[in-house]
Amino acid sequence: MAKDILDIPLFSLSPFDHATFRDLAQNVFVTGVTGGGKTSGPGFNILKALLLSGSGGIVLCAKPGEADEVIGLAKKLGRHRSVVRWSGSNHGFNFLAYSLSRLGSDGTNGVVEYLMRIIEMMRAASALPGGNGDAFWIDELRVLLRYSVPIVFHATGTLRIADLIAFVRSAPTSAEQMTSDEWQAAAPFFLTCFTQAADKLDDATGHRIASYWRDDFAKLDPKLRSNILAGFSMLDRFNHGWLRDAFCGDTTIVPELCFHGAIIILDMPRATLGEDGVIAEMLFKDAFQTAVLGRNALAPPQRKRFVFTYADECQEVVTAGDANYLAMSRSSRATTIYLTQSLPSMYAKLGGANAHDRAHALIGNFGVRLFCATNCTETAEWAAKTLGRTLHRRGSGSDAFGSSTSWGSSMNQGRNWGTSSQGGGGFSSDGKGGGSHSSNWSSGSS
């Protein structure tokens, strides 16, 4: 019987034990202080094994020079022809067009949720924390997108960030303005889209969308409306700089290339490209995760090869959505290898009042955990609890050696002598006299 690919040994753990794809499919989490060996030890040894096995995947670079190290490793292993290095300017990934191609023309609700995830990623990449009122305006922003995406798509035949922004910014801010001849004569992009999409929408849908803009959006409190538009305007970031060319132009790179053995290196570290680089890596990672979870519905050649996500200093690109992916990726023959310095770095990145719980919910999906040298007491304590604490019985013994010697002398001598005599006069009945005499002497020594 042919051996399942998941049971193929990848590298040795001891003379008797080997790590397999099945082990890695549980996902791998590595912690260790800078210089503690997490990258040069577990990190590159696992990556080396995956490259030798012919696996495809993505590598997210957090530091300048990291891409060169991975490419150098691929050359040594004969995998350099599989490497695609994306620095942000040499390839393009139109994420909205890609999403529509996967979901189809009826998948506009899916596109709305995709855009909401992207906005969340942009907020996560920012150094500014969110406020307590975020949940409300985020819900309102989702509603705004739900009534914008279908109109723009049916009017233009596609979706572009620039068109979405132009549509929302030209929307009426009062019910009177919407029926104003002067406003209509100016032919705002908003009105143009409604006119072009009218014959492609059924009456009920068209009435519902028009009612939202006339009766809801136009009557919003000006301050609330400005907050919603401020959140929506975060997407305007993709209209400028290299992000515009990388994510709003032509598509020359897609995550599905990894299913055929491609190793896509996202060389966009924060140190050189700032928050834009982090957002770009998060966005492509999200698209890769979505493609991996959906690959089981594809033809066999698209789902046989093992694939991976590798991220050193993973706190730079971690998102709340990673937990859902990690929980389901095993059945898609995929693994995630995350390396970080400490647990607090994960808490800080995820942020929010329940950052601790969210971080541990995420880490709980890593079945393999490797602990390198650390100077973080919280990480060390967590490692100890992970490994488990038990009462150990220990035996002990001792040997003692000694000697004792004593000596001495004693001498004693004495003498004793004496004489005793007794006598008397008289006569007995027979006429005889009587008397007595005694003498003794003794001597001794010791």
Side-chain angles (χ1 to χ4, degrees):
M1 179 181 290
K3 180 178 290 188
D4 191 319
I5 185 177
L6 294 179
D7 296 317
I8 295 176
L10 289 174
F11 54 90
S12 297
L13 299 173
S14 74
F16 311 102
D17 301 300
H18 297 83
T20 66
F21 282 116
R22 194 178 301 278
D23 296 320
L24 296 188
Q26 298 180 63
N27 305 308
V28 183
F29 188 69
V30 186
T31 61
V33 71
T34 299
K38 67 180 184 298
T39 302
S40 59
F44 264 40
N45 275 288
I46 294 173
L47 185 59
K48 177 182 177 181
L50 289 169
L51 295 181
L52 283 172
S53 70
S55 301
I58 62 173
V59 178
L60 297 98
C61 298
K63 299 170 288 189
E66 187 176 349
D68 293 330
E69 293 176 0
V70 176
I71 292 172
L73 180 63
K75 286 182 178 179
K76 291 180 181 179
L77 303 176
R79 289 295 308 277
H80 57 282
R81 289 195 178 100
S82 301
V83 172
V84 179
R85 182 175 187 170
W86 186 17
S87 60
S89 58
N90 57 331
H91 288 288
F93 175 66
N94 190 318
F95 62 93
L96 281 182
Y98 172 80
S99 181
L100 275 175
S101 69
R102 294 186 69 256
L103 298 172
S105 59
D106 294 329
T108 52
N109 281 335
V111 174
V112 169
E113 293 306 315
Y114 185 40
L115 286 169
M116 291 302 301
R117 288 205 307 274
I118 292 171
I119 291 173
E120 283 296 311
M121 292 175 207
M122 296 173 74
R123 294 175 67 244
S126 173
L128 298 176
N132 294 330
D134 286 351
F136 177 77
W137 74 259
I138 286 175
D139 289 341
E140 291 296 322
L141 178 57
R142 180 178 281 105
V143 173
L144 181 144
L145 284 170
R146 191 171 292 132
Y147 288 106
S148 302
V149 169
I151 292 293
V152 174
F153 172 72
H154 288 296
T156 64
T158 187
L159 276 178
R160 290 183 290 266
I161 293 294
D163 290 342
L164 279 173
I165 293 175
F167 175 80
V168 173
R169 285 179 174 173
S170 60
T173 55
S174 67
E176 294 76 17
Q177 187 181 31
M178 197 167 189
T179 58
S180 167
D181 293 337
E182 182 180 355
W183 179 79
Q184 294 182 12
F189 187 69
F190 178 91
L191 186 59
T192 301
C193 287
F194 258 97
T195 302
Q196 295 177 350
D199 59 344
K200 299 174 185 176
L201 297 172
D202 59 82
D203 291 342
T205 301
H207 176 76
R208 185 172 63 253
I209 294 175
S211 177
Y212 167 78
W213 292 103
R214 181 185 64 247
D215 302 328
D216 296 331
F217 182 80
K219 296 179 180 179
L220 282 174
D221 178 79
K223 184 177 180 180
L224 174 59
R225 183 167 55 238
S226 65
N227 287 337
I228 296 172
L229 292 178
F232 179 79
S233 295
M234 293 178 71
L235 294 172
D236 188 50
R237 192 170 199 151
F238 291 99
N239 274 337
H240 308 280
W242 65 272
L243 283 178
R244 178 187 58 195
D245 298 329
F247 292 99
C248 298
D250 297 329
T251 295
T252 61
I253 186 172
V254 291
E256 285 80 1
L257 290 174
C258 299
F259 300 165
H260 302 278
I263 304 160
I264 301 176
I265 301 176
L266 304 177
D267 187 18
M268 309 170 195
R270 183 190 291 270
T272 56
L273 295 179
E275 289 182 6
D276 285 352
V278 178
I279 292 169
E281 293 192 359
M282 285 180 170
L283 195 156
F284 195 81
K285 174 175 70 76
D286 181 84
F288 175 80
Q289 291 175 344
T290 302
V292 169
L293 293 182
R295 72 188 295 210
N296 287 335
L298 303 177
Q302 300 271 11
R303 49 189 168 90
K304 283 186 175 181
R305 190 184 301 267
F306 201 77
V307 294
F308 64 87
T309 303
Y310 180 91
D312 196 357
E313 304 300 339
C314 67
Q315 71 276 2
E316 286 290 325
V317 293
V318 69
T319 61
D322 285 347
N324 294 329
Y325 169 72
L326 293 171
M328 298 184 288
S329 62
R330 183 177 183 180
S331 62
S332 297
R333 297 195 173 192
T335 183
T336 297
I337 302 100
Y338 273 0
L339 296 82
T340 190
Q341 293 186 28
S342 64
L343 291 185
S345 65
M346 301 287 284
Y347 305 155
K349 183 62 180 181
L350 291 172
N354 59 343
H356 180 277
D357 294 336
R358 291 164 61 202
H360 282 277
L362 170 65
I363 297 169
N365 291 291
F366 288 93
V368 178
R369 303 172 189 180
L370 304 175
F371 307 104
C372 297
T374 182
N375 57 10
C376 174
T377 55
E378 184 165 356
T379 304
E381 180 71 15
W382 171 71
K385 291 180 179 178
T386 299
L387 295 172
R389 293 174 172 174
T390 59
L391 179 64
H392 295 275
R393 294 183 177 273
R394 296 182 175 89
S396 63
S398 63
D399 294 321
F401 300 91
S403 63
S404 177
T405 305
S406 64
W407 63 89
S409 63
S410 177
M411 181 177 292
N412 189 19
Q413 183 175 357
R415 294 174 182 271
N416 184 26
W417 65 89
T419 301
S420 176
S421 63
Q422 181 179 355
F427 294 94
S428 64
S429 61
D430 57 0
K432 295 180 179 180
S436 67
H437 174 81
S438 68
S439 176
N440 65 71
W441 178 90
S442 66
S443 176
S445 65
S446 63

